[in-house]
């Protein structure tokens, strides 16, 4: 990168297209951390403890690092929470990265597994030829365990590593489906609902590439491997829409996320989403049987998982 940092003239490591700035290492890190602080200031106040959902990838490892830097000096406890889905040749390496980082930084780590929760690893479920794709089971079981784990850790917030690109793509997907309810559920939680640990997404205005740069500049270890069950197909259209829009008009991703927040704000002030309890497991659910229990029952019926 030829030109120098806009703030100090030292060698720039990034040209931020959507803001027209060039920044050196130190000013980029400062810019990155300030944005996370601003995002934390927008949501519900975190007081005692936050559980950070970590997968070992660049986004969640950058998040764990920056949350520890920002919150620990404020006497807010930061604990890592990882889910072992049981994906051989993939998850073990990710968990190794997480364990090493947490040990080096003296951060507590909780690991919960599908095997312990539903009685089978994702590999075992898929080997049984179930009626759904791997990501359907994975997403539902993981969300359930993240909430359970954060609650057991005594956390008053669950932080996830969703980045700007993810958030803009999800918003476009929900808009194209006309699914405003889902949009409200997937955004940061502004209300406390019994049994549900409120989610925050401090990186939702941080582009994926900037998380990668942050990891590289700070020497944060992260895992690069791609999940063997991922084909990326279901998101390809939305990724392409967001990519082309950003390419044409830098700043579009931020505009999409801002629009999402305004829509969700209108929706939230109109009527809260009513949550009851699942009749099977007792966890918060919008219907009488939560999705996790419906999927587990389906796997029992097909003989893929034994009875609990
Ligand atoms: Fe789970 Fe699908 Fe992601 Fe793999 S790609 S970790 S199966 S959600």
């Amino acid at each position: 990168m030829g030109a120098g940092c806009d703030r100090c003239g030292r060698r720039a490591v990034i040209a931020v297209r959507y803001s027209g700035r060039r920044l050196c290492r130190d000013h980029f890190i400062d810019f990155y951390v300030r944005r996370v602080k601003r995002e934390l200031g927008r949501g519900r106040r975190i007081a005692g403890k936050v559980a950070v959902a970590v997968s070992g990838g660049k986004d969640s490892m950058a998040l764990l690092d920056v949350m520890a830097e920002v919150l620990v000096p404020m006497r807010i406890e930061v604990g890592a929470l990882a889910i072992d889905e049981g994906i051989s040749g993939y998850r073990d390496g990710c968990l190794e990265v997480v364990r090493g980082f947490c040990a080096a930084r003296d951060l507590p780590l909780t690991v919960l597994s599908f095997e312990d929760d539903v009685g089978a690893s994702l590999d075992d479920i898929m080997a049984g030829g179930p009626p759904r794709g791997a990501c359907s089971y994975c997403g539902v079981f993981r969300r359930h365990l993240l909430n359970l784990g954060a609650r057991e850790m005594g956390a008053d917030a669950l932080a996830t590593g969703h980045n700007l690109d993810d958030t803009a793509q999800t918003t476009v997907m929900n808009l194209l489906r006309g699914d405003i309810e889902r949009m409200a559920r997937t955004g940061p939680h502004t209300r406390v609902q019994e049994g549900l640990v409120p989610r925050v997404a401090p990186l939702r205005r941080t582009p994926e590439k900037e998380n990668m740069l942050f990891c590289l500049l700070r020497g944060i270890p992260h895992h690069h491997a791609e999940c063997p069950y991922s084909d990326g197909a279901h998101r390809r259209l939305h990724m392409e829409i967001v990519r082309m829009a950003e390419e044409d008009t830098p700043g579009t991703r931020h505009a999409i996320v801002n629009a999402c927040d305004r829509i969700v704000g209108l929706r939230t002030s109109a009527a809260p989403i009513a949550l009851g309890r699942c009749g099977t497991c007792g966890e918060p659910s919008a219907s009488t049987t939560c999705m996790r229990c419906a999927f587990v029952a389906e796997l029992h019926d097909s003989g893929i998982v034994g009875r609990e």
Side-chain angles (χ1 to χ4, degrees):
M1 195 153 303
C5 172
D6 289 345
R7 297 207 197 149
C8 68
R10 278 182 295 178
R11 189 175 71 85
V13 294
I14 184 170
V16 185
R17 252 189 103 211
Y18 56 83
S19 70
R21 273 180 283 194
R22 275 188 304 272
L23 298 170
C24 67
R25 178 192 184 279
D26 292 352
H27 282 118
F28 167 71
I29 289 174
D30 180 59
F31 163 73
Y32 183 99
V33 175
R34 278 171 190 266
R35 183 170 44 198
V36 169
K37 287 182 179 168
R38 256 201 320 278
E39 198 58 47
L40 287 170
R42 281 192 176 106
R44 289 186 60 259
R45 197 171 150 265
I46 300 172
K49 183 169 189 175
V50 60
V52 178
V54 281
S55 65
K58 61 185 182 327
D59 299 310
S60 63
M61 294 307 288
L63 177 66
L64 184 57
D65 180 272
V66 71
M67 291 292 270
E69 171 172 330
V70 170
L71 299 180
V72 172
M74 295 163 68
R75 296 181 187 283
I76 295 172
E77 271 184 75
V78 174
L81 173 58
I83 307 301
D84 183 358
E85 303 92 345
I87 304 173
S88 60
Y90 170 66
R91 189 49 83 205
D92 290 349
C94 299
L95 287 174
E96 208 177 297
V97 168
V98 173
R99 286 197 179 97
F101 184 81
C102 289
R105 298 287 295 269
D106 205 17
L107 292 167
L109 168 66
T110 300
V111 181
L112 300 179
S113 72
F114 283 11
E115 183 86 52
D116 290 339
D117 184 49
V118 302
S121 66
L122 190 62
D123 283 343
D124 290 340
I125 292 172
M126 296 319 292
R132 301 171 194 276
C135 298
S136 300
Y137 296 109
C138 189
V140 167
F141 295 161
R142 194 175 41 198
R143 264 197 304 282
H144 165 82
L145 281 179
L146 285 175
N147 187 57
L148 205 71
R151 211 171 58 212
E152 283 173 0
M153 285 165 69
D156 57 4
L158 168 66
T160 63
H162 293 102
N163 60 44
L164 174 67
D165 304 73
D166 300 330
T167 312
Q169 288 158 19
T170 305
T171 302
V172 168
M173 185 170 75
N174 288 326
L175 268 178
L176 295 182
R177 289 177 177 162
D179 197 343
I180 305 301
E181 289 293 335
R182 186 177 293 269
M183 197 186 286
R185 282 205 301 275
T186 50
H189 295 170
T190 50
R191 296 168 193 271
V192 179
Q193 291 183 286
E194 211 196 324
L196 258 196
V197 180
R199 267 196 316 258
V200 294
L203 302 181
R204 65 199 293 274
R205 285 183 171 78
T206 300
E208 186 178 4
K209 280 187 183 157
E210 292 182 26
N211 287 334
M212 175 59 95
L213 183 60
F214 186 74
C215 284
L216 293 175
L217 295 175
R218 297 265 279 222
I220 301 166
H222 55 281
H223 202 262
H224 299 276
E226 197 170 323
C227 172
Y229 295 116
S230 160
D231 66 2
H234 72 295
R235 281 226 165 195
R236 206 158 286 145
L237 170 69
H238 313 106
M239 283 170 76
E240 198 51 20
I241 291 172
V242 171
R243 190 195 64 73
M244 284 170 64
E246 180 72 25
E247 187 65 32
D248 183 71
T249 313
T252 300
R253 289 170 300 179
H254 290 88
I256 294 171
V257 174
N258 291 340
C260 168
D261 285 1
R262 290 177 65 186
I263 294 168
V264 169
L266 293 175
R267 166 67 185 78
T268 308
S269 58
I273 298 165
L275 273 190
R277 294 277 175 178
C278 168
T280 307
C281 70
E283 287 296 308
S285 170
S287 50
T288 49
T289 302
C290 73
M291 196 96 99
R292 176 254 181 205
C293 289
F295 281 9
V296 170
E298 198 175 271
L299 292 170
H300 284 161
D301 291 346
S302 53
I304 295 171
V305 172
R307 294 264 166 212
E308 281 173 342

